[in-house]
Amino acid sequence: MYTSRCKTHILSIGINSYSVTSKNFAIHEPTLLSSLSRVERLSIECRNCLSLDHNSRKESTDFLDWVTRVHSADTAAPRLWQLHCDLYERVEDAEKTPNLPKLSDIRFNSVSLRAVKSNWGRLERVKARSHDLDDSEVIDFLMAAQNLESVELLHYEEEDVPEDEEYGDIAGDTQLSPTFLPKVNRFQIAWCPVTLAESILRAITFPSTSLVEFCICRRQGAGFIEVFPNYLLGVLRSVVVLDIEAERSDCAFSFNSIDSPSYEIKFNEPRGLSDMDSEIQDCYSQEQADEIFDTLGRQSFHCLVDVSIYSAYSSDASTMRRLFREFQTVQHLTFRAKRAQNVIEALASDLGDRDHRHPCPVLRKLDFRECRFDPVTLKKTLINRREWSPDLLHLQVTIDPRMFKSCEEHVGNVRRKALRSVARLVTLYEADEGEWPDNDDSDSDL
């Protein structure tokens, strides 16, 4: 009734699971096929058919056959520009090229990108699985799709990353000259081996206004630096803003510079770690933090202004000080960890060290709210910095009242006095009252 009343008007059609399980699909199939020449948007969603009874499964099989015909060269859909297809099983007829000359927006859960290869050059918005494509095909797709504005590829499910022995056969190096995708505003691929990420970064150039996201598979036992694309280690030298999240056993890096895209790099949790007891997970989180801070301390940051670090743990003061010595241009530092003691100590200069560079010498704002800390150490650090650095303009901390109650009275008084001194050593002092997440009611290890 809808299609007949619309006569020659352009149509948008949605087919959901009920359309299939209602057993009426066979009645409407001829009408749908005859109307495709007038359809500009087609959305097919049928994901809950795995639990169907035998008769309903017959209906769903007929439906899947119809979807296959829609994606075949025998069916003409000259106006179709948007095709979203989310099915409970894969359409296997991927070799035929459909007659879809205006197709520009696709969302494929169960259809291969190969099925629309003739349309790659016209595609503008893509959300699809790519695990059936090898690395060269993924790059061929990107190089051919010059009109891409938004692309999201799912190479592997997060819970289904390759086993160790599979990594070597998935992707290889590319010697192709870089191809510029001028219209891209967002590119994302998850989950992919670092070799594929490296190949994409060297083969494809994105606009400086775009957001480029990689979710990278990490082999069991591999450190994050082993799976960090070398290309991006070079980009780190010129970043202006850097955000690090390593509060769990997975970790993520976000950074941007003036003349390159904004990057977000996420690494999965090593396989099986979440099933281990909390003590092992804590040990791994500490090792991961040590590796991250030690590795970053060996990089050079020439333009970095704003740094935010969210980590379950910090490293020892000497490692953190080595990192902070590379932060010669950093003005804003935000740190979240269970304890900030090593961070505070690392912000003081060690005059006996052979490296005479001061840590964060132009720091203007320091924020370590929600972190356990010792007011006396903080006071000493601020006094130390006064000798070689301008006073902090802004300091933000969280004060847990138990830091005064869980100790002897004279110790609590020393801490209160130290905090009053801290307030005088900075221009703007913000102290929020709250509970530290890692408070064991002990004053022996602030």
Side-chain angles (χ1 to χ4, degrees):
M1 185 183 300
Y2 169 68
T3 56
S4 63
R5 286 180 175 177
C6 288
K7 297 182 179 179
T8 59
H9 289 281
I10 304 302
L11 305 177
S12 294
I13 294 179
I15 301 174
N16 58 20
S17 299
Y18 178 74
S19 303
V20 180
T21 57
S22 63
K23 305 181 187 302
N24 292 322
F25 182 79
I27 300 174
H28 299 296
E29 179 186 1
T31 304
L32 289 170
L33 281 174
S34 64
S35 303
L36 278 178
S37 61
R38 292 185 284 131
V39 174
E40 66 171 3
R41 299 169 64 201
L42 178 60
S43 176
I44 306 169
E45 182 176 349
C46 186
R47 299 216 46 172
N48 60 349
C49 295
L50 290 175
S51 59
L52 298 178
D53 57 33
H54 174 75
N55 293 329
S56 295
R57 286 287 294 176
K58 175 62 168 61
E59 293 283 338
S60 65
T61 300
D62 292 342
F63 170 69
L64 193 63
D65 291 340
W66 178 81
V67 174
T68 300
R69 289 199 298 278
V70 170
H71 290 85
S72 73
D74 301 329
T75 303
R79 299 178 185 273
L80 191 67
W81 64 267
Q82 183 182 80
L83 178 57
H84 293 178
C85 191
D86 189 5
L87 302 179
Y88 61 92
E89 59 184 88
R90 189 174 181 81
V91 175
E92 297 297 341
D93 195 3
E95 299 304 320
K96 293 185 178 181
T97 302
N99 183 19
L100 306 174
K102 291 190 176 181
L103 189 64
S104 64
D105 184 331
I106 63 173
R107 183 177 299 169
F108 286 170
N109 175 64
S110 49
V111 180
S112 175
L113 279 170
R114 294 193 190 107
V116 292
K117 189 170 183 177
S118 62
N119 292 84
W120 284 358
R122 289 185 290 270
L123 293 177
E124 297 175 359
R125 289 169 294 280
V126 173
K127 182 176 182 180
R129 294 178 181 270
S130 61
H131 61 266
D132 63 324
L133 307 183
D134 60 35
D135 62 321
S136 61
E137 287 180 296
V138 172
I139 293 172
D140 286 345
F141 160 69
L142 294 173
M143 295 180 69
Q146 289 289 296
N147 288 311
L148 278 177
E149 297 175 2
S150 173
V151 55
E152 182 178 342
L153 302 178
L154 182 61
H155 208 63
Y156 289 96
E157 297 281 5
E158 182 174 1
E159 63 274 10
D160 190 33
V161 299
E163 299 287 350
D164 288 358
E165 60 271 15
E166 297 179 60
Y167 273 80
D169 298 327
I170 292 173
D173 295 332
T174 178
Q175 301 297 325
L176 299 173
S177 299
T179 297
F180 181 53
L181 297 183
K183 300 181 181 180
V184 170
N185 53 59
R186 181 180 181 185
F187 171 84
Q188 180 183 30
I189 182 167
W191 291 81
C192 71
V194 65
T195 46
L196 177 54
E198 191 79 55
S199 297
I200 291 173
L201 287 165
R202 296 188 182 282
I204 306 297
T205 304
F206 301 96
S208 60
T209 55
S210 62
L211 173 61
V212 179
E213 302 177 62
F214 288 94
C215 297
I216 297 178
C217 305
R218 177 165 48 171
R219 300 183 303 276
Q220 186 171 3
F224 94 93
I225 195 60
E226 295 180 52
V227 289
F228 201 101
N230 289 328
Y231 180 91
L232 294 180
L233 287 176
V235 174
L236 279 176
R237 299 188 184 96
S238 61
V239 299
V240 176
V241 178
L242 173 63
D243 294 332
I244 301 170
E245 293 188 21
E247 295 181 279
R248 297 171 47 213
S249 48
D250 53 5
C251 56
F253 294 75
S254 303
F255 48 92
N256 60 69
S257 62
I258 297 175
D259 56 355
S260 70
S262 297
Y263 291 100
E264 292 187 9
I265 314 299
K266 183 178 181 181
F267 303 93
N268 63 302
E269 177 183 271
R271 194 187 301 273
L273 186 64
S274 59
D275 298 328
M276 299 179 184
D277 60 48
S278 58
E279 184 175 344
I280 294 177
Q281 293 185 42
D282 288 344
C283 181
Y284 177 84
S285 296
Q286 180 65 68
E287 292 175 354
Q288 176 177 264
D290 291 341
E291 184 197 8
I292 289 174
F293 298 132
D294 179 67
T295 301
L296 290 178
R298 301 176 190 277
Q299 307 297 317
S300 296
F301 301 92
H302 304 303
C303 309
L304 192 57
V305 173
D306 194 322
V307 179
S308 297
I309 300 174
Y310 295 79
S311 175
Y313 299 94
S314 64
S315 292
D316 59 77
S318 60
T319 300
M320 298 306 298
R321 185 177 290 113
R322 184 167 60 248
L323 172 62
F324 292 159
R325 285 194 176 115
E326 299 300 333
F327 289 174
Q328 292 294 298
T329 57
V330 169
Q331 298 181 24
H332 302 154
L333 175 61
T334 299
F335 199 95
R336 297 284 187 276
K338 293 184 177 181
R339 305 185 180 210
Q341 187 69 8
N342 292 340
V343 175
I344 295 172
E345 292 180 14
L347 286 170
S349 189
D350 183 358
L351 300 179
D353 199 301
R354 288 179 297 176
D355 189 338
H356 299 298
R357 293 176 301 166
H358 297 300
C360 301
V362 296
L363 188 65
R364 313 309 289 154
K365 180 180 179 180
L366 175 60
D367 175 1
F368 56 90
R369 285 171 293 178
E370 303 175 22
C371 298
R372 188 181 183 92
F373 74 99
D374 176 16
V376 176
T377 303
L378 177 58
K379 172 188 171 182
K380 292 179 179 178
T381 292
L382 292 176
I383 292 174
N384 174 286
R385 293 183 62 86
R386 257 194 166 185
E387 300 177 4
W388 46 267
S389 174
D391 291 349
L392 277 178
L393 294 179
H394 195 179
L395 174 65
Q396 293 174 285
V397 300
T398 296
I399 304 299
D400 191 328
R402 289 176 291 181
M403 69 187 297
F404 308 113
K405 300 176 182 178
S406 62
C407 58
E408 297 180 9
E409 183 177 357
H410 76 280
V411 175
N413 291 334
V414 169
R415 291 174 179 170
R416 291 187 180 90
K417 184 177 179 180
L419 285 174
R420 288 194 292 269
S421 298
V422 165
R424 292 192 295 268
L425 290 168
V426 298
T427 304
L428 177 60
Y429 172 68
E430 288 187 41
D432 301 329
E433 185 172 308
E435 290 189 3
W436 293 330
D438 184 42
N439 194 323
D440 57 7
D441 291 327
S442 170
D443 67 339
S444 61
D445 187 21
L446 281 174

